[in-house]
Amino acid sequence: MTSTRDYSELKANWRLLLAAFVGSAVGFPTLPFFSIGAFAPTFQRIFGWSQAAILGGLLLATVMILLFGTFIGAFIDRRGPRLITMVSLVGMGVSYMGLAASDGSMTVYYAAWVAMCVTGLGASAISFTRVISGAFSHRRGLALGLVLAGSGVFALLVKPFAAWLIAAFGWRVALVAIGALPVLLAAPLVWWGFPRSWTGPKGVVVMAETGLSVRDALRSWAFWVLIVAFIGMGFGIGAPVPNIEAILNTKQLDARVIVNVAALIGLSIVVGRLAGGWLMDRFWVPALAMIMLLSAASGCVLLSASVVTDTSAGAAIVLIGLAAGVEYDILAYLVARYIGLRRYGAIYGILFGIFAIGAGGGPALLGRSYDLSGSYTTGLLVCAGALVASGLCLLSLGPYPTKFEPVQGASCPSDVEPQAFTSST
């Protein structure tokens, strides 16, 4: 049994952790999800676009993840994540820069989003959680938390960074500068830190892995529980986050307070990622998820109140941010524990697409709700209800499986744990 103080897995794979951390920070859909809100006021002022239209690109990202996520995951299972992740980071970054060509035409705007979605799927959580789940066993939760904390760091820094760029150089230069991050920073690190070899001489996966086939997963109770739970979780958490500034603007808070309070979302996500990852290695994850989702639901209720103070706004954002910090970690961990790693990429791709229905469609739906009613109250209460229902659903998963039934034609026994790999040639 591994000691709770044994962190040898982290030390052995530090290059992988660093590369995956940076990649997840500026990957897909993290980069557009957390940065587009900083440009929304500019687009509204210059082009007269509605909030729902601006955030509609996130809905498009949702559709692309849903349609093609499982194919990307299956390809990563077969060929490995290194090359496809690096190419996707470059393609997504260049496509994001295309938003700077916006001239008031929604066609041009959405063309850049289409390019971003097509090229960026390989640089999503499908890739980053696949490589981490395969490399770690005893410290899988903490490793996932460390890597996926990259999105929280990005959320914490990108809005003040974008605001400074817009003020100093204009919004077009700001879009190009942010789009350059995955190209110049993340892609080279992935090439350096990810494993160069994914299969052995006979085509056997380097890491001995167990789990269900895609067909068996589709017949399992756990798979369908995860689908239902993560639709609600994606909507309940994903809808408020890009709309935070807009929500706070309706509460008559001071502009400076809004900027400072909204920045808490990034810090909370980082804390949620790290604390959640540490806790997942020690406690039953469905119960941990229930607690986090109840907290996020409380945050939505606080923001839905007719009177929101500086203090209650800060508390609400922290509660939502903590849950947003563990959503991807929980999904990745539960897939690995209840379904296994044998076809992780393909199965996670399906579930990630389902999750993205809520996470990508939620912001636009919440924005549309505001456009129609002039208030976020009803939409936020719906988010709270969805989060509570998702938590209850996850509790029905039951204990972790002790082992998976062998899959016919498997190349490795069902009781072998994943092994760490290195990125050396």
Side-chain angles (χ1 to χ4, degrees):
M1 182 176 179
T2 303
S3 168
T4 58
R5 297 182 179 180
D6 182 6
Y7 295 97
S8 58
E9 279 187 326
L10 302 179
K11 295 177 182 177
N13 292 290
W14 70 271
R15 287 173 59 177
L16 171 61
L17 286 170
L18 176 61
F21 170 84
V22 176
S24 72
V26 295
F28 181 83
T30 302
L31 185 138
F33 185 86
F34 287 111
S35 65
I36 196 63
F39 296 94
T42 299
F43 291 149
Q44 286 179 316
R45 184 181 70 256
I46 296 175
F47 302 133
W49 295 344
S50 69
Q51 184 78 355
I54 295 168
L55 298 181
L58 298 177
L59 181 58
L60 177 62
T62 297
V63 173
M64 298 298 290
I65 292 171
L66 179 62
L67 293 178
F68 301 109
T70 185
F71 299 105
I72 292 294
F75 186 72
I76 290 171
D77 281 335
R78 186 176 182 85
R79 298 295 183 183
R82 183 173 179 244
L83 180 60
I84 189 173
T85 303
M86 187 193 69
V87 171
S88 290
L89 284 166
V90 173
M92 186 203 68
V94 172
S95 300
Y96 185 90
M97 296 179 199
L99 292 172
S102 299
D103 58 358
S105 168
M106 293 303 298
T107 300
V108 174
Y109 178 74
Y110 280 111
W113 272 98
V114 169
M116 202 188 315
C117 296
V118 170
T119 59
L121 274 174
S124 68
I126 299 172
S127 175
F128 299 118
T129 64
R130 176 65 182 87
V131 74
I132 293 299
S133 293
F136 291 86
S137 174
H138 302 295
R139 292 289 173 262
R140 182 180 293 152
L142 181 56
L144 286 168
L146 287 168
V147 166
L148 295 176
S151 62
V153 173
F154 182 76
L156 180 64
L157 299 177
V158 68
K159 290 181 179 179
F161 179 56
W164 173 76
L165 286 171
I166 292 170
F169 305 103
W171 63 273
R172 297 185 193 275
V173 172
L175 284 166
V176 172
I178 292 173
L181 295 175
V183 178
L184 301 180
L185 183 60
L189 280 174
V190 165
W191 188 252
W192 166 76
F194 272 38
R196 288 163 170 76
S197 177
W198 191 252
T199 59
K202 295 183 179 180
V204 178
V205 176
V206 172
M207 299 154 291
E209 296 167 346
T210 68
L212 304 177
S213 67
V214 175
R215 178 178 296 180
D216 290 338
L218 292 174
R219 297 171 177 170
S220 70
W221 167 257
F223 178 85
W224 293 103
V225 167
L226 291 175
I227 279 185
V228 173
F230 279 93
I231 289 177
M233 187 186 300
F235 174 80
I237 297 175
V241 172
N243 287 291
I244 284 295
E245 291 91 345
I247 293 170
L248 296 179
N249 274 322
T250 66
K251 303 303 179 180
Q252 309 303 317
L253 298 178
D254 182 80
R256 182 175 298 179
V257 170
I258 291 175
V259 172
N260 294 333
V261 170
L264 290 174
I265 192 72
L267 180 61
S268 301
I269 288 173
V270 174
V271 173
R273 289 269 195 260
L274 299 177
W278 185 84
L279 290 169
M280 284 193 295
D281 289 327
R282 289 162 172 77
F283 300 100
W284 186 50
V285 172
L288 176 63
M290 181 77 233
I291 294 171
M292 300 302 291
L293 294 176
L294 284 174
S295 298
S298 300
C300 291
V301 172
L302 284 174
L303 289 177
S304 71
S306 57
V307 176
V308 176
T309 66
D310 299 355
T311 301
S312 63
I317 288 175
V318 168
L319 291 171
I320 294 171
L322 289 173
V326 296
E327 56 187 6
Y328 287 149
D329 312 50
I330 288 173
L331 176 56
Y333 195 93
L334 292 179
V335 171
R337 291 304 300 262
Y338 285 96
I339 297 177
L341 294 174
R342 191 181 303 279
R343 294 293 178 264
Y344 176 96
I347 295 167
Y348 184 90
I350 297 171
L351 289 165
F352 186 55
I354 295 296
F355 173 81
I357 290 177
L365 289 174
L366 189 57
R368 181 60 175 168
S369 172
Y370 175 77
D371 291 340
L372 292 175
S373 66
S375 171
Y376 286 101
T377 298
T378 300
L380 287 168
L381 291 177
V382 171
C383 289
L387 290 168
V388 173
S390 295
L392 293 173
C393 194
L394 289 176
L395 291 178
S396 71
L397 282 170
Y400 298 134
T402 55
K403 72 173 187 176
F404 297 101
E405 292 297 324
V407 179
Q408 186 175 5
S411 59
C412 56
S414 62
D415 57 351
V416 179
E417 289 188 331
Q419 302 168 350
F421 55 79
T422 66
S423 57
S424 60
T425 53

